[in-house]
Amino acid sequence: MAGECEVRTNWGTRMRSLILLGLFLLAIASTAPAATKCPFIDVALLNKGLPDGAPWRVMSGGQGECSFTAKDTSVSFGFSHMVSESTEKATEAAKSMKDAVAPTSRVETLPVLGEYGIDYNMKNEAGMPDEKSMFFYGHSGRVGVSGYLNLKNAITAQQRDFAANLIVSTLGVAGSAQALKKETNCPYFDSELVKSLLPSGDVTISIPNKDSCVVSASGSVLMVSVNRSAQNAQAVSNMLKGGGCTVDPLPKFGKVAGIAHHCSGGNPRAQILFVSGDRMFDVTLVPTSEPTQAQRDTLVELAAFAAKH
């Protein structure tokens, strides 16, 4: 029985990491400035394969993530990579994903995305799947990939297969040591500080673009995101005031800087926000329980490291 409980706990924390990682990647994509191109997928392919949404445009594109939107902004497509420590860990995550989404979704096997590849439509309160919105998950080697497709009308089998094949085409990085290094080398992460903040476990890292890094392990997620805007100071001020959290000022980072913790809603977290030059830094730790003072102090050290890079 003890072994069974341990297995269930490990599965739950791994799924929590994947779900939180996915939410962070979606947030990064939704706030990123429009990019000129995606290094993996030519937008012309979307215009040809999904003409109902044309003209498509790239919203964000980086080392391990691209998102696209159409003339109707409710129409979208995208994917993100998550690199595990080993092929075995990536395979375990792919196996577990089906079980994680099955209670709330209609799930179908999709072999083109790998041995454990799936697509799934989330169900509404009446238990009916959303035919206009589809999600994907698969892996190759150490690289897991999640994707999504939202259309105005019900997604056809042909459209599903087209989207899945585009997502699969991005997994060539799994066979390239150079590409994997690029997708796991974050300039804002100090390895020792990251190890201190995250417990040992199944480590997964994603670097959607040069200004965003996310790493997860054993149910905890750590993120650094950098945004360049003339409105950064006001944005930081608004975010620190509006989160329902205890906020400690961090004058070492400037007049508008602080660390938010013990928040009234959402996951337990510690979030550092500050402006350096024309860059706004968001350094966030989402552990399995409320961050301790020691964890918050270490997060401040990581924020100082990030600000120098």
Side-chain angles (χ1 to χ4, degrees), residues 29-303:
S30 65
T31 57
T36 56
K37 68 175 185 177
C38 168
F40 296 91
I41 298 172
D42 189 332
V43 71
L45 291 174
L46 282 171
N47 288 332
K48 182 177 180 179
L50 297 171
D52 291 349
W56 289 83
R57 65 185 180 115
V58 182
M59 285 298 293
S60 63
Q63 290 96 317
E65 178 272 339
C66 290
S67 62
F68 304 81
T69 188
K71 58 185 178 182
D72 180 339
T73 55
S74 66
V75 175
S76 59
F77 169 75
F79 73 90
S80 58
H81 290 166
M82 294 149 286
V83 184
S84 295
E85 292 177 295
S86 66
T87 296
E88 290 74 21
K89 297 297 184 185
T91 302
E92 288 176 14
K95 285 182 179 179
S96 300
M97 182 58 75
K98 181 176 181 179
D99 291 332
V101 301
T104 58
S105 306
R106 179 183 64 195
V107 184
E108 294 187 7
T109 300
L110 200 58
V112 70
L113 284 171
E115 184 178 0
Y116 301 101
I118 58 170
D119 67 71
Y120 59 100
N121 304 79
M122 297 184 69
K123 297 177 181 177
N124 59 24
E125 294 181 358
M128 299 300 294
D130 183 351
E131 303 289 354
K132 301 177 183 178
S133 182
M134 182 173 288
F135 299 88
F136 304 84
Y137 194 89
H139 91 95
S140 176
R142 292 170 55 200
V143 184
V145 63
S146 60
Y148 60 89
L149 175 64
N150 297 301
L151 297 179
K152 290 186 296 183
N153 300 307
I155 297 170
T156 66
Q158 182 179 7
Q159 291 168 330
R160 176 203 62 196
D161 292 346
F162 174 77
N165 278 289
L166 283 184
I167 293 169
V168 168
S169 73
T170 73
L171 288 175
V173 297
S176 168
Q178 183 176 0
L180 285 175
K181 182 178 181 180
K182 188 175 182 181
E183 288 206 10
T184 56
N185 183 22
C186 175
Y188 302 116
F189 280 160
D190 174 85
S191 59
E192 293 304 314
L193 292 175
V194 170
K195 288 178 183 178
S196 178
L197 286 166
L198 293 179
S200 59
D202 299 341
V203 176
T204 301
I205 188 166
S206 180
I207 303 178
N209 55 62
K210 63 184 180 64
D211 289 325
S212 303
C213 306
V214 189
V215 62
S216 67
S218 298
S220 299
V221 176
L222 177 64
M223 178 190 78
V224 176
S225 180
V226 183
N227 182 52
R228 300 172 192 271
S229 169
Q231 306 299 320
N232 280 332
Q234 187 60 51
V236 167
S237 179
N238 292 341
M239 291 170 72
L240 288 174
K241 291 178 181 177
C245 308
T246 297
V247 178
D248 300 329
L250 293 174
K252 66 181 293 182
F253 293 118
K255 293 181 179 180
V256 185
I259 178 169
H261 55 93
H262 288 87
C263 303
S264 59
N267 292 298
R269 62 192 182 277
Q271 181 178 28
I272 295 174
L273 296 163
F274 66 94
V275 176
S276 177
D278 67 341
R279 301 184 298 171
M280 181 183 81
F281 285 79
D282 180 342
V283 183
T284 298
L285 172 67
V286 184
T288 54
S289 58
E290 186 63 39
T292 64
Q293 181 65 56
Q295 287 176 310
R296 300 200 300 270
D297 291 343
T298 303
L299 195 66
V300 171
E301 291 184 58
L302 182 63

